[in-house]
Amino acid sequence: MENAHKRKKQPEIVRRALLDHAARLAAAQGLAAVTVQAVADAAGVTKGGFIHHFPSKQALIDAVFQELLDAIDRELDERIAADPEPYGSFTRAYVEAVFRVGVEGGGGPWAPLSILMLTDADLRALWVDWFQARFERHRATDSDMRHAVARLAADGIWLADLATMALPDRQQLRAELLEMTRRPS
């Protein structure tokens, strides 16, 4: 860091490093481990460099959380766009995303999101706002009570995977939840 003032300024790379290190720290050690000094050190910048990009620890945490929500948004939108049946497409995308994360392990963007959301009331409120906005966008296709049950069950599977809890036949669970997203006969 002594040569920080001599190196070429690359603000986007520095910002990205701060976000990535904050997410890693939160996932590995919890939100309390995300301090200005710890993130600045991990990213190889001064505290002043940190403050240049994020005026506070909370601003950094909010930015990490928003990036995670954006990643989930993109994944859901891709799945919805590829689904030929609009009815229940948001719920199917949600269920499929949860099961993909469980199979891949490590939790993808959902793991640090879960940890951050579970430990911080403000982030839980952001999650609720995000989910409500997503639901409003898809109310016409995904408001059936069976869709709500499938999404809530998927949330339970997400948390079980996060805790590395053994689940009964994952393929059958997935198939049952996806069946709940189809039009009743």
Side-chain angles (χ1 to χ4, degrees), residues 1-12:
M1 284 192 297
E2 291 175 15
N3 295 325
H5 64 283
K6 293 180 183 175
R7 74 177 163 226
K8 183 179 177 188
K9 305 234 184 252
Q10 299 175 312
E12 286 307 311

Side-chain angles (χ1 to χ4, degrees), residues 6 14-15 29 96 98 100 109 138 143-144 158 161 176:
K6 293 180 183 175
V14 172
R15 186 176 195 285
Q29 299 173 31
E96 290 286 18
V98 167
R100 180 199 52 80
H138 301 287
S143 60
D144 188 293
W158 172 20
D161 285 343
E176 293 284 336

Side-chain angles (χ1 to χ4, degrees), residues 53 57 69 85 89 91-92 98-99 119 145 151 169 172 178 185:
H53 292 279
K57 170 187 166 177
L69 289 176
E85 175 56 42
S89 60
T91 302
R92 276 190 299 284
V98 167
F99 274 89
T119 59
M145 184 57 69
R151 288 189 304 269
D169 188 343
Q172 185 178 356
L178 291 175
S185 308

Side-chain angles (χ1 to χ4, degrees), residues 16-40:
R16 174 84 266 136
L18 291 167
L19 290 164
D20 291 345
H21 287 292
R24 278 191 214 105
L25 277 170
Q29 299 173 31
L31 199 53
V34 180
T35 66
V36 171
Q37 190 65 60
V39 174

Side-chain angles (χ1 to χ4, degrees), residues 117-170:
M117 184 177 57
L118 292 173
T119 59
D120 185 278
D122 292 335
L123 297 180
R124 276 193 304 279
L126 290 173
W127 168 260
V128 168
D129 291 346
W130 171 83
F131 188 85
Q132 292 295 3
R134 284 302 304 219
F135 179 71
E136 285 304 316
R137 238 166 73 195
H138 301 287
R139 181 179 290 282
T141 59
D142 287 76
S143 60
D144 188 293
M145 184 57 69
R146 293 166 28 110
H147 297 144
V149 170
R151 288 189 304 269
L152 289 168
D155 287 342
I157 290 165
W158 172 20
L159 291 172
D161 285 343
L162 190 62
T164 63
M165 215 169 103
L167 294 173
D169 188 343
R170 288 183 72 80

Side-chain angles (χ1 to χ4, degrees), residues 62-83:
D62 290 349
V64 168
F65 193 78
Q66 188 58 56
E67 278 202 347
L68 295 169
L69 289 176
D70 292 346
I72 293 167
D73 260 344
R74 284 188 301 277
E75 180 177 355
L76 294 178
D77 286 343
E78 288 170 9
R79 289 179 183 279
I80 291 167
D83 192 331

